[in-house]
Amino acid sequence: MFQSEQIFSYISEHKDDLFIEKDEDIYQELNNLVKKLSLNSNSYIWVTNGNGALLCNSRENADDRFFEYSDLLNNYVFKKPEYYTRFVNNQQTMVECSLFADEINDNDEVSVSFVYNYKVLVFNKYPPLEVDILIYLHTSVIEMNLLKRQIMLSFLFPLIMALSIGTILVGLISIRVSKPLVQLNAVANSVRSGDYKSRATRTRRKDELGKLADNFNKMIDEIDKLDKSRLSFISDMSHELRTPMTTINGFISGILDGTIDADSQEYYLNLVKDEVNRLNRLINNLLLLSKIESEEVELIRTDFDINTVITQTVANMENMIKEKNLHLDIHFDEKITFVNANEDDIERVMFNLIHNAIKFTEKRGHIKIYTKVRKKVTVYVEDDGIGINENELLSIWNRFYKADKSRSADKTGTGLGLSIVQKIINNHNETVSVESEQGKGSRFFFTLKISENL
Ligand code: ADP
């Protein structure tokens, strides 16, 4: 298109020289222009008039497959009128045609031809001369194919490269991602079937999958711990229940079969009553423990005076204290100390700690209860009783743990009191500790949050 415009603008600029003067130099110049354009565009160009006479040709000689010399016109003209007539007066300026394909294709590699149709009006004559100009542009198939291939290569190669690299990367990433997931799945299956020993392979990966594997292992650790504690709970429970049951069964059987004579029966029935009471306490404590454990989710706090709770708890236990002739000393750091906690729970903590102090202190021993108010309130329950062996200091908080019974001053305990204390205090996000020396006494103490509203 661009070449044909250039050729046509040259022709219309020099129309007088070309069509009236028939200036050889101008024809030569036009020829040079056509050759130049042909070289630049790798095309083969003819320019003819509306009668099929060759005005210009990008090659040296007229192509004798299409042109023949006409003596009459003193020029080369198209052999067949069909090569030009249908383009003259065509409304379109550009026509794509395969008109020459048959003749050219076999050896001259040309198949695509464009014919541009223009009109030049020469006014220098009367009547004005109207000249049809036909510009034929033939493009080499080989050139076109080469160009196509070049374009393809310039796009296709990077495309194939990008696709291959993409595929390899996706493959590598999916292997990297799927391998640990497959392994996690295998471990999950083992855990599901009750095997808590397998663990996801620990890697040095810091990404989400690495974190997932770590958390997964932590979760199995927790499940494993929970399962072990469940099993030990069941076995401890069975043991705790079996002992009194055996005793009760033994005494009642003895009474029934007459092994225990009538005089001793009351004594043994009292022992049975004690055991039944202990079973009752055990079950109550277990229910309490499970209630506290579920409270973890929602702890209902109120503001109350801790001094009042301590005084009331002590008052309720007055009989026990008196029975053992214990000296009780109570001291509050401040007259009133409002704390923010669950009152029932704290009452239970106080009861359990004071009860233990009474149980594990010899007659006429001393018990001291006092508070210290700093950023928090610390409540102390101190006794000069039997104390706790250093090796047992950590175990006393465990469920069902009771220090060596043969030494113990208490044969009726359930071993749940301190577990309940610890659970309650932990639920409050506070701490409970013990200091003790065997034979000298113990000091249990826990913290509480001071009420902010008062
Ligand atoms: P229980 O009192 O029902 O046996 P606890 O959980 O309250 O259960 O206590 C666990 C164990 O801790 C007791 O059996 C006892 O050996 C020891 N213990 C608790 N408080 C004291 C204390 N004040 N003095 C000495 N030993 C104590």
Side-chain angles (χ1 to χ4, degrees):
M1 183 72 187
F2 181 65
Q3 295 96 312
S4 71
E5 290 292 341
Q6 269 184 284
I7 295 168
F8 176 68
S9 77
Y10 184 87
I11 291 173
S12 59
E13 210 177 296
H14 299 91
K15 56 192 178 190
D16 291 349
D17 298 330
L18 287 167
F19 302 115
I20 295 175
E21 307 293 334
K22 314 256 187 218
D23 188 331
E24 280 297 320
D25 290 343
I26 300 295
Y27 271 106
Q28 194 50 51
E29 250 180 62
L30 175 64
N31 230 12
N32 291 342
L33 173 70
V34 167
K35 277 183 182 154
K36 198 180 97 191
L37 290 173
S38 150
L39 264 176
N40 287 352
S41 63
N42 273 321
S43 53
Y44 178 17
I45 306 173
W46 304 324
V47 181
T48 71
N49 66 18
N51 298 321
L54 191 61
L55 301 178
C56 214
N57 180 9
S58 64
R59 292 196 179 164
E60 283 311 318
N61 299 313
D63 193 324
D64 56 13
R65 283 172 299 177
F66 308 103
F67 295 99
E68 61 190 1
Y69 194 74
S70 156
D71 289 329
L72 184 71
L73 293 172
N74 193 19
N75 201 352
Y76 279 93
V77 286
F78 272 124
K79 278 180 179 172
K80 297 179 189 167
E82 71 203 61
Y83 291 156
Y84 59 95
T85 46
R86 67 194 189 94
F87 301 119
V88 179
N89 290 330
N90 195 313
Q91 290 300 308
Q92 286 171 302
T93 53
M94 186 187 100
V95 180
E96 184 183 340
C97 93
S98 51
L99 184 67
F100 306 97
D102 296 341
E103 285 83 354
I104 299 173
N105 241 359
D106 50 351
N107 58 353
D108 209 9
E109 85 275 339
V110 177
S111 78
V112 184
S113 304
F114 300 92
V115 182
Y116 300 89
N117 158 26
Y118 300 95
K119 260 188 206 318
V120 193
L121 280 175
V122 186
F123 294 104
N124 227 353
K125 245 189 156 195
Y126 189 80
L129 187 66
E130 192 182 275
V131 186
D132 284 300
I133 304 291
L134 299 174
I135 301 171
Y136 295 76
L137 280 171
H138 308 293
T139 311
S140 153
V141 168
I142 292 177
E143 288 295 335
M144 291 253 298
N145 285 345
L146 263 172
L147 198 69
K148 248 200 268 173
R149 202 169 306 149
Q150 265 174 5
I151 293 171
M152 286 276 277
L153 278 179
S154 62
F155 279 101
L156 212 63
F157 184 68
L159 190 76
I160 291 172
M161 281 296 283
L163 277 177
S164 327
I165 293 172
T167 313
I168 293 169
L169 279 179
V170 167
L172 285 177
I173 290 170
S174 58
I175 288 173
R176 213 176 127 79
V177 170
S178 68
K179 210 175 141 193
L181 285 180
V182 168
Q183 210 237 339
L184 271 187
N185 192 34
V187 178
N189 277 337
S190 324
V191 172
R192 203 182 52 176
S193 57
D195 166 21
Y196 303 124
K197 282 189 197 73
S198 31
R199 295 285 184 278
T201 323
R202 281 182 187 275
T203 56
R204 270 179 281 143
R205 292 167 69 138
K206 293 231 153 40
D207 60 5
E208 298 306 314
L209 277 175
K211 281 186 212 154
L212 179 68
D214 282 350
N215 284 335
F216 197 75
N217 287 344
K218 277 183 204 150
M219 188 186 73
I220 305 174
D221 289 345
E222 285 301 314
I223 297 175
D224 193 20
K225 227 162 73 187
L226 222 76
D227 191 60
K228 284 195 179 112
S229 99
R230 184 179 60 91
L231 289 176
S232 86
F233 176 74
I234 292 171
S235 104
D236 289 345
M237 236 321 248
S238 323
H239 176 79
E240 287 301 316
L241 290 175
R242 203 174 41 225
T243 318
M245 290 298 200
T246 317
T247 317
I248 292 167
N249 188 34
F251 292 157
I252 291 180
S253 304
I255 292 168
L256 286 176
D257 65 17
T259 325
I260 296 172
D261 59 37
D263 292 346
S264 319
Q265 277 181 12
E266 194 187 333
Y267 170 77
Y268 285 104
L269 281 175
N270 271 323
L271 289 183
V272 168
K273 193 178 152 206
D274 286 348
E275 287 302 315
V276 171
N277 283 341
R278 198 161 80 83
L279 274 177
N280 215 8
R281 274 201 307 279
L282 179 71
I283 288 161
N284 283 341
N285 277 339
L286 275 173
L287 285 174
L288 186 73
L289 199 62
S290 85
K291 181 179 159 271
I292 298 164
E293 274 170 1
S294 64
E295 253 175 30
E296 237 174 278
V297 193
E298 192 195 8
L299 181 78
I300 300 161
R301 290 171 179 260
T302 53
D303 294 321
F304 59 90
D305 175 26
I306 183 68
N307 300 354
T308 314
V309 170
I310 295 171
T311 326
Q312 271 169 7
T313 316
V314 169
N316 291 340
M317 303 170 92
E318 216 182 313
N319 282 345
M320 289 187 244
I321 297 167
K322 273 191 181 150
E323 257 173 42
K324 286 187 91 172
N325 263 325
L326 296 169
H327 299 275
L328 182 69
D329 180 12
I330 301 178
H331 172 78
F332 299 129
D333 210 1
E334 283 175 4
K335 242 181 168 179
I336 298 173
T337 310
F338 274 95
V339 292
N340 181 259
N342 182 293
E343 194 169 349
D344 287 347
D345 284 356
I346 300 307
E347 225 177 276
R348 167 58 57 177
V349 168
M350 284 315 305
F351 178 88
N352 286 5
L353 292 182
I354 300 171
H355 192 221
N356 278 349
I358 297 171
K359 278 197 298 185
F360 299 108
T361 304
E362 309 288 351
K363 283 185 176 172
R364 285 178 292 280
H366 294 84
I367 296 176
K368 210 169 139 189
I369 303 169
Y370 55 99
T371 59
K372 270 188 190 163
V373 184
R374 302 284 181 274
K375 272 186 185 166
K376 287 181 179 282
V377 186
T378 312
V379 180
Y380 297 82
V381 178
E382 201 178 293
D383 64 64
D384 58 358
I386 60 168
I388 302 160
N389 186 313
E390 207 186 321
N391 306 327
E392 290 178 317
L393 273 180
L394 283 177
S395 318
I396 55 168
W397 306 100
N398 295 344
R399 269 189 306 217
F400 301 117
Y401 187 86
K402 283 176 277 182
D404 184 3
K405 272 193 176 175
S406 55
R407 282 190 303 102
S408 173
D410 170 55
K411 291 187 173 55
T412 59
T414 60
L416 291 173
L418 286 181
S419 314
I420 293 172
V421 167
Q422 195 183 47
K423 198 82 208 149
I424 290 177
I425 297 299
N426 287 350
N427 275 1
H428 282 75
N429 289 327
E430 300 293 341
T431 51
V432 57
S433 316
V434 60
E435 289 164 0
S436 184
E437 206 178 316
Q438 200 159 20
K440 290 208 165 155
S442 316
R443 183 199 291 141
F444 285 84
F445 50 99
F446 64 93
T447 57
L448 281 179
K449 190 177 149 194
I450 295 177
S451 168
E452 283 166 3
N453 305 325
L454 303 155

